[in-house]
Amino acid sequence: MSTVVGNVIAGNGKGGVLVDKGVHDSVLSNNLIGLTANGTPAGNGLFGVHIEAGSHRNTIGPGNEIANNGTGIQIRPDGLAPPGPQERPPVRV
């Protein structure tokens, strides 16, 4: 469980935020993702936020500004564990 609040996440070659397998009950809110503190575009290469299968009960928002990235929010629907395919809860975005 993590809380990621009030950050500037910009200019990364691959991506901004990875919500990996097994991550749960985390909150990502009020961040600038792909923008500098003054609003200048500074995108992340592949994605702003990437959510892996097997993460669950995570909240993306409120208050994030996600712009100028290869993909804003990318959700990977395949993966092994945890949890198994029948146990995978919906992702709240």
Side-chain angles (χ1 to χ4, degrees), residues 20-45:
D20 209 352
K21 293 178 185 78
V23 173
H24 59 88
D25 300 300
S26 294
V27 177
L28 178 69
S29 65
N30 298 305
N31 297 286
L32 296 174
I33 303 172
L35 301 160
T36 65
N38 68 5
T40 301
N44 298 292

Side-chain angles (χ1 to χ4, degrees), residues 19-92:
V19 181
D20 209 352
K21 293 178 185 78
V23 173
H24 59 88
D25 300 300
S26 294
V27 177
L28 178 69
S29 65
N30 298 305
N31 297 286
L32 296 174
I33 303 172
L35 301 160
T36 65
N38 68 5
T40 301
N44 298 292
L46 300 176
F47 56 83
V49 179
H50 179 91
I51 302 170
E52 282 283 324
S55 64
H56 56 282
R57 293 191 314 264
N58 297 297
T59 303
I60 310 299
N64 293 306
E65 291 188 45
I66 303 171
N68 310 304
N69 302 289
T71 300
I73 298 177
Q74 184 176 56
I75 300 173
R76 183 173 176 179
D78 56 347
L80 299 174
Q86 292 82 16
E87 303 164 2
R88 191 175 304 139
V91 176
R92 293 181 286 173

